[in-house]
Amino acid sequence: MEYRELKGTDLTVSAVGFGVWTVGTTWWGVKDEGMGKRLLREAFEAGVTYFDNADTYASGRAEEMQREALGDVREKIVIGTKFGYDIYNNPDRPGQQERPHDWSPAYLRKALEGSLKRLGTDYIDFYQLHNPRVDAIALDDLWAELDTLKAEGLIRAYGTALGPALNERQIEEGIASVRDRHAPTQIIYNLLEQALGEKILPVAEAEGVSIVARVPHASGLLEGYMTLDTEFEPGDHRNWRMTTNAKKKAWMEDGLKKVEDLQPFVAGRTIGQLALQFALHSPMMASVLPNIYDEKGLKEYVAAFDAAPLTDDEYNAIQRLYRDNFGLTHDLRGQAVAR
């Protein structure tokens, strides 16, 4: 495992982290809590130190699961969790719809107290605004309260996690986070979906602030198992990714054609390991959060640094393919590409 500084903080994180949403919710098909907790423990034993959670995952149950799996090694791990969605006055919504946000300093305190209790800890290492819009990033009283919580020792660092789905408005949100708040931010970024990273990473480098990437495998396209016949289980978040079956089909067809073009770069590594190496190519990328939902994937991803390293020539060749949209006429959302 490789470990990197989360620039803009005093934290060091494993370059491959664990997004607890894959085992703390049913959005990726992991419905067995026992297996989920075993994966969390096995990840720690394999060298993963950064665990990224949120109070909204299963309305707090994911944080409790993390405590049950890793509570005895709390001082050896970096806990990231998130706040902002009002989980106390708004029940879960169907189809993974967003709850209302509450960015008041009073709610921030309440949310933090709940996460501390569920995680079984006295402090959070990396506390993140969960899917904020730019107006939340502009709230001086919110950020002043975060500074107060840091001074009190209740959090060590803070940042933002942008989402939920990939959206170009997150470019403005990410730039505001790193430039105006000097706050590390989490974005969707992978070798098939680079729109956010192209704009945010240069600003992060200029400001000396790290980025964390999630969805490094493009929602499964870069994991190596998907075919045109792949069906997602009920509850899988990808069933809501596309508004119509036609767009879902276009996303899979175009994505899988791009994966075919990437096969020459797979020698000495798996396609999943290639995706992680690509996402981590920038020195400003502190960690990536692959979707880990079985032992096979866990072992493959933590071994990414044992595989043949991605060379600059390979990286540049992949970028040339990306800039040409791999020769295709549609993007991953099924939208026509101007050529």
Side-chain angles (χ1 to χ4, degrees), residues 86-314:
D86 184 354
I87 67 171
Y88 299 102
N89 299 307
N90 295 277
D92 285 331
R93 297 189 168 196
Q96 301 169 18
Q97 298 177 49
E98 287 188 90
R99 291 177 165 106
H101 281 117
D102 187 340
W103 299 115
S104 67
Y107 184 77
L108 165 57
R109 287 258 174 188
K110 179 178 181 178
L112 178 59
E113 290 170 2
S115 287
L116 289 171
K117 181 178 180 181
R118 289 186 293 269
L119 287 161
T121 183
D122 296 328
Y123 64 95
I124 302 298
D125 296 292
F126 187 42
Y127 205 36
Q128 302 155 83
L129 283 69
H130 199 177
N131 299 340
R133 302 332 189 232
V134 73
D135 57 341
I137 299 170
L139 293 172
D140 290 337
D141 60 343
L142 172 64
W143 294 87
E145 187 70 1
L146 286 166
D147 281 327
T148 299
L149 293 172
K150 185 176 178 182
E152 292 175 5
L154 296 175
I155 61 176
R156 292 180 62 191
Y158 50 72
T160 60
L162 306 184
L166 184 64
N167 191 303
E168 289 188 1
R169 63 168 167 73
Q170 293 159 25
I171 294 172
E172 182 182 8
E173 296 158 5
I175 290 174
S177 295
V178 299
R179 184 190 60 203
D180 302 340
R181 300 301 180 179
H182 209 67
T185 191
Q186 182 185 137
I187 64 173
I188 293 174
Y189 181 74
N190 57 70
L191 60 80
L192 301 183
E193 298 169 306
Q194 299 184 42
L196 301 185
E198 286 177 325
K199 299 295 185 180
I200 297 171
L201 279 167
V203 181
E205 184 172 8
E207 297 294 332
V209 175
S210 283
I211 302 298
V212 173
R214 74 174 185 277
V215 199
H217 293 113
S219 296
L221 286 170
L222 296 169
E223 291 183 32
Y225 73 87
M226 196 177 291
T227 71
L228 289 176
D229 297 323
T230 298
E231 295 288 339
F232 305 126
E233 292 185 20
D236 190 301
H237 81 107
R238 289 167 292 187
N239 287 317
W240 286 281
R241 177 182 178 117
M242 301 300 162
T243 55
T244 67
N245 286 333
K247 286 189 175 182
K248 189 173 183 179
K249 182 180 179 182
W251 172 73
M252 293 183 71
E253 286 182 346
D254 285 8
L256 290 173
K257 288 176 182 175
K258 293 175 181 180
V259 170
E260 288 181 13
D261 286 346
L262 291 169
Q263 292 308 307
F265 302 97
V266 174
R269 59 178 81 91
T270 67
I271 186 73
Q273 291 170 337
L274 171 66
L276 297 185
Q277 292 176 350
F278 179 90
L280 288 164
H281 187 267
S282 169
M284 302 313 298
M285 195 65 71
S287 185
V288 293
L289 301 170
N291 293 313
I292 298 171
Y293 42 81
D294 57 31
E295 290 185 356
K296 177 180 179 294
L298 172 61
K299 291 178 180 178
E300 177 183 350
Y301 302 151
V302 298
F305 301 101
D306 298 324
L310 181 68
T311 67
D312 288 341
D313 286 344
E314 289 175 314

Side-chain angles (χ1 to χ4, degrees), residues 9-65:
T9 78
D10 63 355
L11 302 173
T12 297
V13 295
S14 54
V16 175
F18 196 126
V20 185
W21 81 306
T22 56
V23 297
T25 72
T26 59
W27 301 347
W28 279 88
V30 178
K31 301 178 178 66
D32 182 339
E33 282 197 2
M35 183 179 74
K37 287 187 281 189
R38 286 195 299 275
L39 283 173
L40 288 169
R41 190 69 187 198
E42 289 173 9
F44 167 73
E45 292 170 353
V48 175
T49 60
Y50 177 41
F51 294 86
D52 186 75
N53 215 319
D55 61 5
T56 193
Y57 298 163
S59 297
R61 178 57 190 153
E63 292 179 321
E64 294 173 342
M65 285 177 60

